[in-house]
Amino acid sequence: MSEIETLFGVLRQSADEPVVDMLERMVREAPDHALSKMNALHLAGQSGLGEEQVIGGLLHAVGLGILEMTWSVMCPSCAGVLSANKSLKTVNSPQYHCAFCAAGYETTLDNLVEVTFTVSPRVRKIAAHNAEELPLAEYYRQVFWSSAIDLPADLDGLLRELTLEAVDLPSGERAILSLQVPAGTLIVFDPVTHTAQFLEVKGEETSERQNLSLIFNKAEVPVDAVALRPGSLRLALENRTDARVLPAVWVANQRLDDLLTRRKPSLTAKRLLTNQTFRDLYRTDTLAIGQRLKILSLTFLFSDLKDSTGLYEHVGDLVAFDLVNEHFRLLQEIIAAEKGAVVKTIGDAVMATFETPDRAIAAAIRMREAMSELGAQRQQQGLLLKMGIHEGSCLAVTLNGQQDYFGQTVNIASRVQGLAASRSIVVTEAVVDNAETRTLLEANGLNPTPRSVALSGIADKVSVYEIP
């Protein structure tokens, strides 16, 4: 049996069979570019498999060394990768700048960091493992652009239409380009060093040759746009780096805008942090001690068993212990099924996160019913959950040796849970204001009752809604 067969045999023990079949088929048959920066959500859509299934399978494949995982900081405007990282620990800049778009972005995990997967060279060697040898179009496809951009099959032909000239310039060499530059905005851009020079071409056409020199090095120095007139341009390029560069002269027009706005869903860091399989595999090795990464919107669900002390008194320690463990198992199963993850348990309480409020509501409704069914099965009708949900910004941090969250949103969610009584679910205004949440509640015939409450440690009163 080959090493590949052995690895996939082991993978079948932890990942869903259809996902393993898909991955094994891709490793054996797919073109090289399909195995570089694999987009979990796009793969799920193409194969008709569940997103959580595919994400889980890819994560287990990483653990076995079949795939490698990359955390890429990407520009929201052009989808270019600004920083590729093997770990979230090295995403440590408060802001990233895109030279191609001449724009800066605050580092958040919502849509600035995506997670992709590439086949390991021990399983199959592909061209992207040696990016120095990729031609221009494939370098853009497999290295520069993120998996969130929907690139056409004939990218090489499209790039020829969008650029006036392009050159593969080895380390230490120079090149001279003779161009006829049209009126408009041009961008001399190198995707290797992320260097850009904007050219503003306007005015009367000139019969004299214009000259411009650009040097590529590792220094990131902001430069002003160069003013030119339509006509002849002699562009001198020099590579002072220790690797090749791939400068091209782009025409900033509607066709370029159309290319850069072609998007497909991709796996964000926020989505992955709320995946149960990821937390099970990487809960203690995601962020560095002291590292803090901002999330603009995350939904927190807190649950607690009602009168668990009385339960122990009523049925005894052994029966109560078994009930509580079964309660944890059911809750984690439901939370994972609704695209959430259990962050931690505190006594009989659970803290979970979801990418969006509607998934938390869906989980809470199912959790409530599951506890009623469990109570009926075990003849414990008093087995009830108190639940609270809140959505807002927070910080992803490491606390007590594992990946956790910090901030006022977490505090409010915890305090809102304390307002719940018996079977009620208490949520904040931010949760019920979500359009998908309202649709879900209407579909389930649930009409939240509003009230204004004071929460400990919160200056102003908070509007909450009780879901009966």
PDB file of all heavy atoms in Angstrom, residues 301-303 331 334-335 338 354 357-371 385-389 423-427 440-441 446 467:
ATOM      1  N   LEU A 301     -23.667  32.718  22.573  1.00  0.00           N
ATOM      2  CA  LEU A 301     -24.782  32.049  23.247  1.00  0.00           C
ATOM      3  C   LEU A 301     -24.264  31.466  24.558  1.00  0.00           C
ATOM      4  O   LEU A 301     -23.266  30.738  24.567  1.00  0.00           O
ATOM      5  CB  LEU A 301     -25.366  30.941  22.374  1.00  0.00           C
ATOM      6  CG  LEU A 301     -26.570  30.156  22.929  1.00  0.00           C
ATOM      7  CD1 LEU A 301     -27.424  29.616  21.781  1.00  0.00           C
ATOM      8  CD2 LEU A 301     -26.158  28.996  23.833  1.00  0.00           C
ATOM      9  N   PHE A 302     -24.918  31.820  25.638  1.00  0.00           N
ATOM     10  CA  PHE A 302     -24.629  31.233  26.940  1.00  0.00           C
ATOM     11  C   PHE A 302     -25.838  30.411  27.372  1.00  0.00           C
ATOM     12  O   PHE A 302     -26.981  30.859  27.239  1.00  0.00           O
ATOM     13  CB  PHE A 302     -24.361  32.308  27.992  1.00  0.00           C
ATOM     14  CG  PHE A 302     -22.971  32.889  27.930  1.00  0.00           C
ATOM     15  CD1 PHE A 302     -22.659  33.895  27.024  1.00  0.00           C
ATOM     16  CD2 PHE A 302     -21.967  32.434  28.774  1.00  0.00           C
ATOM     17  CE1 PHE A 302     -21.387  34.439  26.956  1.00  0.00           C
ATOM     18  CE2 PHE A 302     -20.685  32.971  28.724  1.00  0.00           C
ATOM     19  CZ  PHE A 302     -20.395  33.971  27.807  1.00  0.00           C
ATOM     20  N   SER A 303     -25.590  29.223  27.886  1.00  0.00           N
ATOM     21  CA  SER A 303     -26.681  28.396  28.415  1.00  0.00           C
ATOM     22  C   SER A 303     -26.290  27.859  29.781  1.00  0.00           C
ATOM     23  O   SER A 303     -25.106  27.713  30.088  1.00  0.00           O
ATOM     24  CB  SER A 303     -26.991  27.229  27.466  1.00  0.00           C
ATOM     25  OG  SER A 303     -25.991  26.232  27.567  1.00  0.00           O
ATOM     26  N   LEU A 331     -25.860  19.310  23.346  1.00  0.00           N
ATOM     27  CA  LEU A 331     -25.668  20.727  23.033  1.00  0.00           C
ATOM     28  C   LEU A 331     -24.536  20.916  22.033  1.00  0.00           C
ATOM     29  O   LEU A 331     -24.667  21.681  21.067  1.00  0.00           O
ATOM     30  CB  LEU A 331     -25.399  21.524  24.317  1.00  0.00           C
ATOM     31  CG  LEU A 331     -26.639  22.213  24.933  1.00  0.00           C
ATOM     32  CD1 LEU A 331     -27.769  21.222  25.182  1.00  0.00           C
ATOM     33  CD2 LEU A 331     -26.261  22.930  26.221  1.00  0.00           C
ATOM     34  N   ILE A 334     -25.665  19.874  18.539  1.00  0.00           N
ATOM     35  CA  ILE A 334     -26.561  20.855  17.917  1.00  0.00           C
ATOM     36  C   ILE A 334     -25.801  22.109  17.521  1.00  0.00           C
ATOM     37  O   ILE A 334     -25.981  22.648  16.421  1.00  0.00           O
ATOM     38  CB  ILE A 334     -27.720  21.197  18.871  1.00  0.00           C
ATOM     39  CG1 ILE A 334     -28.633  19.979  19.054  1.00  0.00           C
ATOM     40  CG2 ILE A 334     -28.524  22.394  18.362  1.00  0.00           C
ATOM     41  CD1 ILE A 334     -29.637  20.126  20.175  1.00  0.00           C
ATOM     42  N   ILE A 335     -24.947  22.599  18.406  1.00  0.00           N
ATOM     43  CA  ILE A 335     -24.181  23.808  18.125  1.00  0.00           C
ATOM     44  C   ILE A 335     -23.307  23.617  16.891  1.00  0.00           C
ATOM     45  O   ILE A 335     -23.248  24.481  16.009  1.00  0.00           O
ATOM     46  CB  ILE A 335     -23.327  24.187  19.352  1.00  0.00           C
ATOM     47  CG1 ILE A 335     -24.239  24.711  20.476  1.00  0.00           C
ATOM     48  CG2 ILE A 335     -22.273  25.236  18.994  1.00  0.00           C
ATOM     49  CD1 ILE A 335     -23.572  24.801  21.832  1.00  0.00           C
ATOM     50  N   GLU A 338     -25.277  23.699  13.681  1.00  0.00           N
ATOM     51  CA  GLU A 338     -25.723  25.049  13.301  1.00  0.00           C
ATOM     52  C   GLU A 338     -24.535  25.985  13.040  1.00  0.00           C
ATOM     53  O   GLU A 338     -24.632  27.198  13.172  1.00  0.00           O
ATOM     54  CB  GLU A 338     -26.625  25.627  14.390  1.00  0.00           C
ATOM     55  CG  GLU A 338     -27.948  24.888  14.557  1.00  0.00           C
ATOM     56  CD  GLU A 338     -28.832  24.966  13.333  1.00  0.00           C
ATOM     57  OE1 GLU A 338     -28.599  25.837  12.469  1.00  0.00           O
ATOM     58  OE2 GLU A 338     -29.763  24.137  13.226  1.00  0.00           O
ATOM     59  N   PHE A 354     -21.180  31.812  17.276  1.00  0.00           N
ATOM     60  CA  PHE A 354     -21.738  31.587  15.951  1.00  0.00           C
ATOM     61  C   PHE A 354     -21.350  32.760  15.059  1.00  0.00           C
ATOM     62  O   PHE A 354     -21.218  33.891  15.526  1.00  0.00           O
ATOM     63  CB  PHE A 354     -23.267  31.463  16.001  1.00  0.00           C
ATOM     64  CG  PHE A 354     -23.751  30.298  16.817  1.00  0.00           C
ATOM     65  CD1 PHE A 354     -23.854  30.399  18.204  1.00  0.00           C
ATOM     66  CD2 PHE A 354     -24.090  29.102  16.203  1.00  0.00           C
ATOM     67  CE1 PHE A 354     -24.290  29.327  18.958  1.00  0.00           C
ATOM     68  CE2 PHE A 354     -24.532  28.024  16.951  1.00  0.00           C
ATOM     69  CZ  PHE A 354     -24.630  28.129  18.331  1.00  0.00           C
ATOM     70  N   PRO A 357     -26.236  35.800  14.013  1.00  0.00           N
ATOM     71  CA  PRO A 357     -27.257  35.624  15.053  1.00  0.00           C
ATOM     72  C   PRO A 357     -28.287  34.550  14.747  1.00  0.00           C
ATOM     73  O   PRO A 357     -28.749  33.852  15.653  1.00  0.00           O
ATOM     74  CB  PRO A 357     -27.918  37.010  15.135  1.00  0.00           C
ATOM     75  CG  PRO A 357     -26.894  37.955  14.621  1.00  0.00           C
ATOM     76  CD  PRO A 357     -26.154  37.198  13.552  1.00  0.00           C
ATOM     77  N   ASP A 358     -28.689  34.409  13.472  1.00  0.00           N
ATOM     78  CA  ASP A 358     -29.736  33.443  13.151  1.00  0.00           C
ATOM     79  C   ASP A 358     -29.314  32.013  13.458  1.00  0.00           C
ATOM     80  O   ASP A 358     -30.126  31.182  13.861  1.00  0.00           O
ATOM     81  CB  ASP A 358     -30.160  33.578  11.687  1.00  0.00           C
ATOM     82  CG  ASP A 358     -29.017  33.316  10.723  1.00  0.00           C
ATOM     83  OD1 ASP A 358     -27.981  33.989  10.847  1.00  0.00           O
ATOM     84  OD2 ASP A 358     -29.152  32.451   9.840  1.00  0.00           O
ATOM     85  N   ARG A 359     -28.015  31.706  13.294  1.00  0.00           N
ATOM     86  CA  ARG A 359     -27.543  30.354  13.611  1.00  0.00           C
ATOM     87  C   ARG A 359     -27.615  30.102  15.112  1.00  0.00           C
ATOM     88  O   ARG A 359     -27.899  28.981  15.555  1.00  0.00           O
ATOM     89  CB  ARG A 359     -26.116  30.153  13.106  1.00  0.00           C
ATOM     90  CG  ARG A 359     -25.960  30.095  11.595  1.00  0.00           C
ATOM     91  CD  ARG A 359     -26.786  28.989  10.971  1.00  0.00           C
ATOM     92  NE  ARG A 359     -28.134  29.449  10.601  1.00  0.00           N
ATOM     93  CZ  ARG A 359     -29.195  28.688  10.521  1.00  0.00           C
ATOM     94  NH1 ARG A 359     -29.133  27.411  10.802  1.00  0.00           N
ATOM     95  NH2 ARG A 359     -30.361  29.169  10.179  1.00  0.00           N
ATOM     96  N   ALA A 360     -27.338  31.127  15.911  1.00  0.00           N
ATOM     97  CA  ALA A 360     -27.435  30.981  17.366  1.00  0.00           C
ATOM     98  C   ALA A 360     -28.881  30.749  17.789  1.00  0.00           C
ATOM     99  O   ALA A 360     -29.172  29.913  18.657  1.00  0.00           O
ATOM    100  CB  ALA A 360     -26.868  32.224  18.051  1.00  0.00           C
ATOM    101  N   ILE A 361     -29.814  31.488  17.181  1.00  0.00           N
ATOM    102  CA  ILE A 361     -31.238  31.313  17.482  1.00  0.00           C
ATOM    103  C   ILE A 361     -31.688  29.903  17.096  1.00  0.00           C
ATOM    104  O   ILE A 361     -32.401  29.221  17.851  1.00  0.00           O
ATOM    105  CB  ILE A 361     -32.080  32.367  16.748  1.00  0.00           C
ATOM    106  CG1 ILE A 361     -31.846  33.765  17.338  1.00  0.00           C
ATOM    107  CG2 ILE A 361     -33.557  32.006  16.792  1.00  0.00           C
ATOM    108  CD1 ILE A 361     -32.449  33.958  18.710  1.00  0.00           C
ATOM    109  N   ALA A 362     -31.277  29.465  15.899  1.00  0.00           N
ATOM    110  CA  ALA A 362     -31.651  28.127  15.447  1.00  0.00           C
ATOM    111  C   ALA A 362     -31.131  27.073  16.419  1.00  0.00           C
ATOM    112  O   ALA A 362     -31.844  26.107  16.748  1.00  0.00           O
ATOM    113  CB  ALA A 362     -31.098  27.873  14.041  1.00  0.00           C
ATOM    114  N   ALA A 363     -29.906  27.253  16.876  1.00  0.00           N
ATOM    115  CA  ALA A 363     -29.329  26.306  17.835  1.00  0.00           C
ATOM    116  C   ALA A 363     -30.093  26.335  19.149  1.00  0.00           C
ATOM    117  O   ALA A 363     -30.393  25.285  19.738  1.00  0.00           O
ATOM    118  CB  ALA A 363     -27.856  26.626  18.064  1.00  0.00           C
ATOM    119  N   ALA A 364     -30.422  27.533  19.629  1.00  0.00           N
ATOM    120  CA  ALA A 364     -31.115  27.665  20.912  1.00  0.00           C
ATOM    121  C   ALA A 364     -32.480  26.977  20.876  1.00  0.00           C
ATOM    122  O   ALA A 364     -32.876  26.292  21.837  1.00  0.00           O
ATOM    123  CB  ALA A 364     -31.279  29.146  21.265  1.00  0.00           C
ATOM    124  N   ILE A 365     -33.215  27.140  19.777  1.00  0.00           N
ATOM    125  CA  ILE A 365     -34.528  26.498  19.655  1.00  0.00           C
ATOM    126  C   ILE A 365     -34.374  24.978  19.700  1.00  0.00           C
ATOM    127  O   ILE A 365     -35.116  24.279  20.392  1.00  0.00           O
ATOM    128  CB  ILE A 365     -35.220  26.944  18.350  1.00  0.00           C
ATOM    129  CG1 ILE A 365     -35.549  28.440  18.413  1.00  0.00           C
ATOM    130  CG2 ILE A 365     -36.480  26.124  18.100  1.00  0.00           C
ATOM    131  CD1 ILE A 365     -36.024  29.022  17.095  1.00  0.00           C
ATOM    132  N   ARG A 366     -33.395  24.462  18.977  1.00  0.00           N
ATOM    133  CA  ARG A 366     -33.166  23.012  18.965  1.00  0.00           C
ATOM    134  C   ARG A 366     -32.680  22.508  20.314  1.00  0.00           C
ATOM    135  O   ARG A 366     -33.063  21.419  20.763  1.00  0.00           O
ATOM    136  CB  ARG A 366     -32.154  22.663  17.873  1.00  0.00           C
ATOM    137  CG  ARG A 366     -32.673  22.828  16.458  1.00  0.00           C
ATOM    138  CD  ARG A 366     -31.611  22.459  15.435  1.00  0.00           C
ATOM    139  NE  ARG A 366     -31.165  21.075  15.610  1.00  0.00           N
ATOM    140  CZ  ARG A 366     -30.156  20.541  14.927  1.00  0.00           C
ATOM    141  NH1 ARG A 366     -29.486  21.278  14.046  1.00  0.00           N
ATOM    142  NH2 ARG A 366     -29.799  19.276  15.138  1.00  0.00           N
ATOM    143  N   MET A 367     -31.825  23.298  20.969  1.00  0.00           N
ATOM    144  CA  MET A 367     -31.306  22.901  22.285  1.00  0.00           C
ATOM    145  C   MET A 367     -32.435  22.815  23.309  1.00  0.00           C
ATOM    146  O   MET A 367     -32.482  21.890  24.127  1.00  0.00           O
ATOM    147  CB  MET A 367     -30.234  23.905  22.731  1.00  0.00           C
ATOM    148  CG  MET A 367     -28.923  23.793  21.958  1.00  0.00           C
ATOM    149  SD  MET A 367     -27.893  25.284  22.022  1.00  0.00           S
ATOM    150  CE  MET A 367     -27.541  25.410  23.762  1.00  0.00           C
ATOM    151  N   ARG A 368     -33.342  23.769  23.249  1.00  0.00           N
ATOM    152  CA  ARG A 368     -34.469  23.777  24.170  1.00  0.00           C
ATOM    153  C   ARG A 368     -35.322  22.516  24.001  1.00  0.00           C
ATOM    154  O   ARG A 368     -35.712  21.872  24.989  1.00  0.00           O
ATOM    155  CB  ARG A 368     -35.306  25.038  23.951  1.00  0.00           C
ATOM    156  CG  ARG A 368     -36.504  25.147  24.856  1.00  0.00           C
ATOM    157  CD  ARG A 368     -37.052  26.559  24.857  1.00  0.00           C
ATOM    158  NE  ARG A 368     -37.598  26.983  23.578  1.00  0.00           N
ATOM    159  CZ  ARG A 368     -38.126  28.193  23.365  1.00  0.00           C
ATOM    160  NH1 ARG A 368     -38.158  29.076  24.351  1.00  0.00           N
ATOM    161  NH2 ARG A 368     -38.621  28.513  22.187  1.00  0.00           N
ATOM    162  N   GLU A 369     -35.597  22.163  22.750  1.00  0.00           N
ATOM    163  CA  GLU A 369     -36.402  20.973  22.496  1.00  0.00           C
ATOM    164  C   GLU A 369     -35.653  19.705  22.890  1.00  0.00           C
ATOM    165  O   GLU A 369     -36.248  18.748  23.412  1.00  0.00           O
ATOM    166  CB  GLU A 369     -36.798  20.913  21.013  1.00  0.00           C
ATOM    167  CG  GLU A 369     -37.711  22.046  20.570  1.00  0.00           C
ATOM    168  CD  GLU A 369     -38.938  22.177  21.452  1.00  0.00           C
ATOM    169  OE1 GLU A 369     -39.577  21.132  21.742  1.00  0.00           O
ATOM    170  OE2 GLU A 369     -39.254  23.297  21.882  1.00  0.00           O
ATOM    171  N   ALA A 370     -34.350  19.693  22.646  1.00  0.00           N
ATOM    172  CA  ALA A 370     -33.554  18.508  22.986  1.00  0.00           C
ATOM    173  C   ALA A 370     -33.552  18.260  24.483  1.00  0.00           C
ATOM    174  O   ALA A 370     -33.598  17.108  24.932  1.00  0.00           O
ATOM    175  CB  ALA A 370     -32.125  18.677  22.474  1.00  0.00           C
ATOM    176  N   MET A 371     -33.521  19.342  25.277  1.00  0.00           N
ATOM    177  CA  MET A 371     -33.534  19.175  26.729  1.00  0.00           C
ATOM    178  C   MET A 371     -34.899  18.672  27.215  1.00  0.00           C
ATOM    179  O   MET A 371     -34.988  17.867  28.139  1.00  0.00           O
ATOM    180  CB  MET A 371     -33.198  20.497  27.408  1.00  0.00           C
ATOM    181  CG  MET A 371     -31.723  20.892  27.325  1.00  0.00           C
ATOM    182  SD  MET A 371     -30.585  19.629  27.946  1.00  0.00           S
ATOM    183  CE  MET A 371     -30.112  18.823  26.402  1.00  0.00           C
ATOM    184  N   LEU A 385     -33.187  24.479  30.175  1.00  0.00           N
ATOM    185  CA  LEU A 385     -32.041  25.344  29.877  1.00  0.00           C
ATOM    186  C   LEU A 385     -32.448  26.800  29.970  1.00  0.00           C
ATOM    187  O   LEU A 385     -33.515  27.202  29.507  1.00  0.00           O
ATOM    188  CB  LEU A 385     -31.535  25.089  28.449  1.00  0.00           C
ATOM    189  CG  LEU A 385     -30.545  23.954  28.199  1.00  0.00           C
ATOM    190  CD1 LEU A 385     -30.136  23.989  26.738  1.00  0.00           C
ATOM    191  CD2 LEU A 385     -29.323  24.062  29.083  1.00  0.00           C
ATOM    192  N   LYS A 386     -31.573  27.598  30.554  1.00  0.00           N
ATOM    193  CA  LYS A 386     -31.713  29.050  30.503  1.00  0.00           C
ATOM    194  C   LYS A 386     -30.676  29.548  29.504  1.00  0.00           C
ATOM    195  O   LYS A 386     -29.485  29.247  29.634  1.00  0.00           O
ATOM    196  CB  LYS A 386     -31.467  29.660  31.883  1.00  0.00           C
ATOM    197  CG  LYS A 386     -32.419  29.171  32.958  1.00  0.00           C
ATOM    198  CD  LYS A 386     -32.216  29.927  34.268  1.00  0.00           C
ATOM    199  CE  LYS A 386     -30.826  29.672  34.841  1.00  0.00           C
ATOM    200  NZ  LYS A 386     -30.611  30.420  36.102  1.00  0.00           N
ATOM    201  N   MET A 387     -31.121  30.319  28.502  1.00  0.00           N
ATOM    202  CA  MET A 387     -30.206  30.734  27.435  1.00  0.00           C
ATOM    203  C   MET A 387     -30.274  32.229  27.170  1.00  0.00           C
ATOM    204  O   MET A 387     -31.346  32.841  27.238  1.00  0.00           O
ATOM    205  CB  MET A 387     -30.518  29.962  26.149  1.00  0.00           C
ATOM    206  CG  MET A 387     -30.121  28.499  26.195  1.00  0.00           C
ATOM    207  SD  MET A 387     -30.514  27.617  24.665  1.00  0.00           S
ATOM    208  CE  MET A 387     -32.270  27.317  24.907  1.00  0.00           C
ATOM    209  N   GLY A 388     -29.122  32.812  26.853  1.00  0.00           N
ATOM    210  CA  GLY A 388     -29.027  34.215  26.482  1.00  0.00           C
ATOM    211  C   GLY A 388     -28.135  34.371  25.262  1.00  0.00           C
ATOM    212  O   GLY A 388     -27.137  33.644  25.112  1.00  0.00           O
ATOM    213  N   ILE A 389     -28.487  35.300  24.370  1.00  0.00           N
ATOM    214  CA  ILE A 389     -27.742  35.494  23.113  1.00  0.00           C
ATOM    215  C   ILE A 389     -27.523  36.984  22.877  1.00  0.00           C
ATOM    216  O   ILE A 389     -28.435  37.800  23.040  1.00  0.00           O
ATOM    217  CB  ILE A 389     -28.507  34.895  21.912  1.00  0.00           C
ATOM    218  CG1 ILE A 389     -28.785  33.408  22.145  1.00  0.00           C
ATOM    219  CG2 ILE A 389     -27.724  35.096  20.619  1.00  0.00           C
ATOM    220  CD1 ILE A 389     -29.682  32.783  21.081  1.00  0.00           C
ATOM    221  N   ARG A 423     -37.874  27.864  30.287  1.00  0.00           N
ATOM    222  CA  ARG A 423     -37.620  27.553  28.873  1.00  0.00           C
ATOM    223  C   ARG A 423     -37.375  28.775  28.004  1.00  0.00           C
ATOM    224  O   ARG A 423     -37.153  28.654  26.801  1.00  0.00           O
ATOM    225  CB  ARG A 423     -38.826  26.789  28.295  1.00  0.00           C
ATOM    226  CG  ARG A 423     -38.886  25.332  28.668  1.00  0.00           C
ATOM    227  CD  ARG A 423     -40.189  24.710  28.195  1.00  0.00           C
ATOM    228  NE  ARG A 423     -40.461  24.987  26.780  1.00  0.00           N
ATOM    229  CZ  ARG A 423     -39.995  24.272  25.770  1.00  0.00           C
ATOM    230  NH1 ARG A 423     -39.200  23.244  26.014  1.00  0.00           N
ATOM    231  NH2 ARG A 423     -40.326  24.580  24.526  1.00  0.00           N
ATOM    232  N   SER A 424     -37.421  29.950  28.550  1.00  0.00           N
ATOM    233  CA  SER A 424     -37.305  31.150  27.725  1.00  0.00           C
ATOM    234  C   SER A 424     -35.877  31.354  27.216  1.00  0.00           C
ATOM    235  O   SER A 424     -34.908  30.930  27.831  1.00  0.00           O
ATOM    236  CB  SER A 424     -37.742  32.388  28.515  1.00  0.00           C
ATOM    237  OG  SER A 424     -36.844  32.634  29.572  1.00  0.00           O
ATOM    238  N   ILE A 425     -35.787  31.973  26.038  1.00  0.00           N
ATOM    239  CA  ILE A 425     -34.503  32.373  25.463  1.00  0.00           C
ATOM    240  C   ILE A 425     -34.496  33.895  25.459  1.00  0.00           C
ATOM    241  O   ILE A 425     -35.402  34.515  24.896  1.00  0.00           O
ATOM    242  CB  ILE A 425     -34.340  31.843  24.022  1.00  0.00           C
ATOM    243  CG1 ILE A 425     -34.499  30.318  23.981  1.00  0.00           C
ATOM    244  CG2 ILE A 425     -32.994  32.254  23.438  1.00  0.00           C
ATOM    245  CD1 ILE A 425     -34.668  29.767  22.575  1.00  0.00           C
ATOM    246  N   VAL A 426     -33.520  34.508  26.088  1.00  0.00           N
ATOM    247  CA  VAL A 426     -33.447  35.965  26.145  1.00  0.00           C
ATOM    248  C   VAL A 426     -32.350  36.437  25.203  1.00  0.00           C
ATOM    249  O   VAL A 426     -31.215  35.959  25.270  1.00  0.00           O
ATOM    250  CB  VAL A 426     -33.183  36.465  27.577  1.00  0.00           C
ATOM    251  CG1 VAL A 426     -33.076  37.988  27.594  1.00  0.00           C
ATOM    252  CG2 VAL A 426     -34.300  36.006  28.512  1.00  0.00           C
ATOM    253  N   VAL A 427     -32.696  37.360  24.313  1.00  0.00           N
ATOM    254  CA  VAL A 427     -31.743  37.869  23.323  1.00  0.00           C
ATOM    255  C   VAL A 427     -31.774  39.389  23.345  1.00  0.00           C
ATOM    256  O   VAL A 427     -32.720  40.003  23.831  1.00  0.00           O
ATOM    257  CB  VAL A 427     -32.074  37.358  21.906  1.00  0.00           C
ATOM    258  CG1 VAL A 427     -32.156  35.838  21.888  1.00  0.00           C
ATOM    259  CG2 VAL A 427     -33.375  37.958  21.384  1.00  0.00           C
ATOM    260  N   LEU A 440     -36.417  33.538  10.659  1.00  0.00           N
ATOM    261  CA  LEU A 440     -36.402  32.265  11.384  1.00  0.00           C
ATOM    262  C   LEU A 440     -37.467  32.228  12.477  1.00  0.00           C
ATOM    263  O   LEU A 440     -38.183  31.235  12.640  1.00  0.00           O
ATOM    264  CB  LEU A 440     -35.013  32.029  11.983  1.00  0.00           C
ATOM    265  CG  LEU A 440     -34.787  30.725  12.743  1.00  0.00           C
ATOM    266  CD1 LEU A 440     -34.909  29.536  11.808  1.00  0.00           C
ATOM    267  CD2 LEU A 440     -33.430  30.730  13.424  1.00  0.00           C
ATOM    268  N   LEU A 441     -37.589  33.328  13.226  1.00  0.00           N
ATOM    269  CA  LEU A 441     -38.579  33.387  14.298  1.00  0.00           C
ATOM    270  C   LEU A 441     -39.997  33.309  13.741  1.00  0.00           C
ATOM    271  O   LEU A 441     -40.868  32.612  14.287  1.00  0.00           O
ATOM    272  CB  LEU A 441     -38.391  34.662  15.121  1.00  0.00           C
ATOM    273  CG  LEU A 441     -37.115  34.739  15.969  1.00  0.00           C
ATOM    274  CD1 LEU A 441     -36.979  36.118  16.604  1.00  0.00           C
ATOM    275  CD2 LEU A 441     -37.110  33.660  17.040  1.00  0.00           C
ATOM    276  N   LEU A 446     -42.703  32.213  16.502  1.00  0.00           N
ATOM    277  CA  LEU A 446     -42.239  32.760  17.773  1.00  0.00           C
ATOM    278  C   LEU A 446     -42.288  34.278  17.740  1.00  0.00           C
ATOM    279  O   LEU A 446     -41.753  34.904  16.809  1.00  0.00           O
ATOM    280  CB  LEU A 446     -40.821  32.284  18.072  1.00  0.00           C
ATOM    281  CG  LEU A 446     -40.654  30.758  18.232  1.00  0.00           C
ATOM    282  CD1 LEU A 446     -39.186  30.388  18.337  1.00  0.00           C
ATOM    283  CD2 LEU A 446     -41.433  30.268  19.445  1.00  0.00           C
ATOM    284  N   ILE A 467     -37.935  35.125  24.104  1.00  0.00           N
ATOM    285  CA  ILE A 467     -38.536  34.234  23.115  1.00  0.00           C
ATOM    286  C   ILE A 467     -39.184  33.082  23.858  1.00  0.00           C
ATOM    287  O   ILE A 467     -38.506  32.270  24.486  1.00  0.00           O
ATOM    288  CB  ILE A 467     -37.479  33.702  22.131  1.00  0.00           C
ATOM    289  CG1 ILE A 467     -36.807  34.883  21.403  1.00  0.00           C
ATOM    290  CG2 ILE A 467     -38.107  32.747  21.122  1.00  0.00           C
ATOM    291  CD1 ILE A 467     -35.641  34.476  20.541  1.00  0.00           C
TER     292      ILE A 467
END
